[in-house]
Amino acid sequence: MNRTADSSSKTLSAFQYRNASSRRTERKRLYCEGVTVADLAKRFGTPLYVYSASAIRARFRIFDRAFKGIPHTICYSVKANSNRSVLRLLAALRSGFDVVSGGELERLVRISRKTAAKSVFSGVGKTPAEMRAALKTGILLFNMESEAELHALAACAEGMKKVAPVALRVNPDVPAETHPYISTGLHQHKFGVPMQRARELYAQAAKYKYLRVAGISVHIGSQIRDVKPFTAAMEHVAALVRELREDGHTIRYVDAGGGLGISYQHPDLSDENSISSAEDFAAQVNQYAEAVMGPLRSLKVHLLLEPGRSIIAPAGALLTRVIYQKNNGTKKFLIVDAAMNDLIRPSLYSAYHEIVPAELKEHTPTEKVDVVGPICETGDFFARDRELPASEEGDLLALLDAGAYGMVLTTNYNTRPSPAEILVEGKSAKVVRRRQTVSDLMRLER
Ligand code: LLP
C-alpha cells in the first residue's frame, strides 16, 4: 500500500481498534478518530449516534475524485443523514444536495441560500407549497416524476413568474439486486415516468413558458453492490439524451441518482485497517464511476450524482449498552438499551449491521446470541443467532455502518426519546443534536 492510500485509510476508518496497554491482559479499545467510544458513551450516555468528520470528508473526496474525468456535481442525498452539522461539513467541501421535501430544503436554506441553491429536488409527491419554496430559493434542478407534477410545477412557476429548470426522472425498467423496499427502477415501481412516454412529456414541458428543460434523471434503487445495473440504466438514458437533443431540447444535466451499496460485513475487526480500507472504497467507487460515465462519454453533459449511504454510512455507529442478559434454555438474549425505534434497518429490511464490543479482550470466548431492544415487539432485534465475543451486563457495544438511514429513521415508539448525535474530529467530540427528553415528546400534545 502506498503512503497516500495508507494515510487516507486511517481517516477513512471512522472506527478502529487500538491496543490498550495493560500488564494482565491484551486489550483493544474501539476508537472513533482520537477518542474511545467508551469515553463518548460515558460523557454523553447511550444509545448514542457517533460520526467521524474525517471519514465523511475522506469518503466525499474519494467519491468526487472518481468522477474527475467529467464535469460533475456531487449532490449528497440529504435523506441519508440530515443533521445540519453534517450538511455544513459537506457544503464546505462544495457538495451539492439532493432533497426530497420542503423540510430538507429548509435545512439547507438555514445553512445558506447559496447551499440551498445547489440542490436538486426529487420525489413523487412534491406539493405546490414545496415547489414554491424551491422556486423562491432558486434550485439547480427539479426532478419531475409525473405528468401531473409537471403541470403543478408549471402553474407554480407561472404564478411566481420564475422559470423552473426541469428534468424528468425516467424509469429505465432495469432490475437491481437489493431489498425490494429500496429497489426503484422497475416499471412496477411508483418512481419516474416510463421511458416510452418521456419524449411526449418533454415536448409538453417545453411548451410551458416558465419551465426550462435542463436535464434528465434516473435512480434505480439503493444498496446496489453490482455496478452493471448502473451501466444498463445509463445506456437507456444516453439513448434518450440523443433523441431529446434531436427533438430540439437542451439536455445539459444527467442526474444519475444514488444507490451505490457498501459492505456491512467486517469479518476481521481486529485488523486496524479492516473496518474500511481506503483502497477498497476508492476501487469500488472507481468501478462505479466507470459504469456510470461509460455510456455518457461522447455526450458532453454535466453529471449529477446523489450518493447518500456510500458517503455517510460507514462514518457512523450507534453505541448501545447491554442492560440485561437472558437465557431461555435454547437461546441467549442480550437486551440492549437501543431499540428498533433508534435503528430500524434490521427490523424493516432484515439488514445486517456488524456489532462489536467497545473493548476487545484477548481470549474472550464467543457465544451465539440474539441482540434485542426493550420494545414490545418481536421485530425489535438487531441480530439473531449472531456469534459475538461474550459480553456482560453494562458492556458497551457499537452497531457499525449506522451513519446512513439511522438517526433519520428514528421514531418515538414506546415514548422513547431519540438518541443524541456526536460529531468527532480528532480528539474533539461535539454534540450536534442533543438527546430528546420525554418532555420534548409531549410538548406538542394537549
Ligand atoms: N436519490 C434518490 C432519488 C433516492 O431516492 C435515494 C435513496 C438516493 C438518491 C440515495 O441513495 P443511496 O446512495 O443512499 O443509496 N432506508 C433505506 C434506503 C432508502 C433509500 C431511498 N432513496 C435503507 O436504510 O437501506
Side-chain angles (χ1 to χ4, degrees):
M1 202 187 268
N2 67 36
R3 268 174 71 199
T4 2
D6 188 48
S7 61
S8 62
S9 112
K10 288 277 186 294
T11 49
L12 252 200
S13 297
F15 299 91
Q16 281 186 337
Y17 280 109
R18 291 190 206 140
N19 287 328
S21 50
S22 146
R23 253 173 290 141
R24 276 174 297 142
T25 43
E26 189 59 41
R27 288 161 195 260
K28 284 172 190 279
R29 294 210 175 100
L30 188 64
Y31 278 76
C32 178
E33 300 204 18
V35 257
T36 63
V37 297
D39 180 43
L40 294 171
K42 202 150 83 189
R43 283 166 66 193
F44 305 110
T46 52
L48 187 71
Y49 273 102
V50 176
Y51 313 120
S52 153
S54 307
I56 301 171
R57 281 197 200 98
R59 299 183 77 83
F60 178 88
R61 288 192 176 119
I62 287 173
F63 204 103
D64 196 27
R65 223 176 288 141
F67 288 91
K68 65 177 184 297
I70 194 168
H72 70 276
T73 306
I74 311 274
C75 295
Y76 164 76
S77 194
V78 173
K79 68 171 81 64
N81 185 322
S82 58
N83 186 292
R84 278 184 298 148
S85 294
V86 168
L87 301 179
R88 231 177 274 124
L89 184 158
L90 288 165
L93 299 178
R94 296 206 234 145
S95 180
F97 297 91
D98 155 47
V99 300
V100 290
S101 71
E104 286 188 350
L105 182 66
E106 181 61 22
R107 285 178 178 276
L108 299 175
V109 170
R110 290 196 193 183
I111 293 173
S112 76
R113 288 244 158 226
K114 216 173 111 207
T115 302
K118 279 182 88 176
S119 52
V120 298
F121 197 163
S122 315
V124 295
K126 299 181 245 351
T127 65
E130 289 174 321
M131 290 172 178
R132 281 193 292 270
L135 282 163
K136 188 169 159 224
T137 305
I139 63 168
L140 203 58
L141 198 60
F142 287 87
N143 285 333
M144 306 312 287
E145 304 219 15
S146 64
E147 189 176 348
E149 239 197 2
L150 202 59
H151 295 326
L153 179 63
C156 293
E158 164 107 58
M160 293 171 74
K161 303 277 176 270
K162 273 202 133 178
V163 175
V166 297
L168 276 178
R169 172 168 172 185
V170 293
N171 184 325
D173 199 22
V174 297
E177 203 180 302
T178 186
H179 190 278
Y181 287 4
I182 55 175
S183 170
T184 55
L186 282 180
H187 190 63
Q188 76 223 40
H189 297 140
K190 68 177 174 180
F191 299 98
V193 298
M195 294 294 283
Q196 313 79 274
R197 284 212 60 207
R199 287 174 87 171
E200 171 202 338
L201 290 178
Y202 272 96
Q204 282 190 31
K207 286 199 192 119
Y208 287 110
K209 190 169 161 205
Y210 287 93
L211 297 187
R212 178 169 52 82
V213 170
I216 179 167
S217 84
V218 71
H219 170 79
I220 56 172
S222 191
Q223 183 52 15
I224 299 167
R225 300 271 289 150
D226 174 10
V227 300
K228 286 195 278 306
F230 292 112
T231 303
M234 294 325 284
E235 277 165 358
H236 288 300
V237 167
L240 190 53
V241 170
R242 289 194 180 91
E243 288 178 5
L244 292 171
R245 283 178 173 171
E246 273 166 29
D247 292 348
H249 301 291
T250 305
I251 305 292
R252 173 167 184 225
Y253 294 110
V254 167
D255 182 342
L260 178 64
I262 60 152
S263 167
Y264 281 91
Q265 262 138 35
H266 306 283
D268 185 13
L269 286 161
S270 51
D271 168 0
E272 287 209 349
N273 290 322
S274 77
I275 293 187
S276 175
S277 116
E279 280 191 322
D280 278 354
F281 184 56
Q284 197 198 350
V285 179
N286 285 338
Q287 217 192 7
Y288 167 74
E290 265 320 299
V292 171
M293 292 190 295
L296 302 176
R297 276 250 152 70
S298 58
L299 284 178
K300 290 208 168 52
V301 292
H302 186 107
L303 182 62
L304 304 174
L305 298 135
E306 304 173 355
R309 184 191 323 262
S310 54
I311 302 289
I312 193 91
L318 175 62
L319 307 184
T320 184
R321 227 176 255 292
V322 178
I323 318 175
Y324 300 115
Q325 306 208 39
K326 172 167 165 170
N327 204 322
N328 73 1
T330 53
K331 242 184 194 300
K332 179 159 181 190
F333 297 95
L334 294 185
I335 300 162
V336 296
D337 65 0
M340 65 190 284
N341 73 297
D342 302 307
L343 177 66
I344 205 171
R345 303 194 68 260
S347 308
L348 191 56
Y349 316 108
S350 309
Y352 183 97
H353 281 265
E354 207 70 76
I355 303 177
V356 300
E359 194 170 283
L360 202 57
K361 293 183 207 104
E362 210 182 26
H363 309 306
T364 305
T366 63
E367 56 182 359
K368 200 180 262 185
V369 291
D370 277 19
V371 181
V372 302
I375 282 182
C376 305
E377 293 219 19
T378 304
D380 179 27
F381 63 88
F382 292 123
R384 284 179 161 162
D385 294 323
R386 183 83 61 90
E387 202 70 39
L388 292 182
S391 48
E392 289 166 21
E393 292 172 5
D395 280 359
L396 183 66
L397 303 174
L399 287 121
L400 299 180
D401 302 308
Y405 307 113
M407 185 64 185
V408 287
L409 276 163
T410 55
T411 68
N412 296 123
Y413 190 35
N414 283 202
T415 306
R416 290 173 51 90
S418 301
E421 290 175 289
I422 307 295
L423 187 61
V424 174
E425 172 128 48
K427 286 190 178 357
S428 116
K430 289 203 183 96
V431 180
V432 290
R433 182 182 153 120
R434 72 156 168 84
R435 187 175 299 283
Q436 267 184 339
T437 63
V438 172
S439 302
D440 287 335
L441 302 191
M442 293 189 288
R443 191 154 295 146
L444 303 178
E445 297 168 17
R446 295 256 144 78

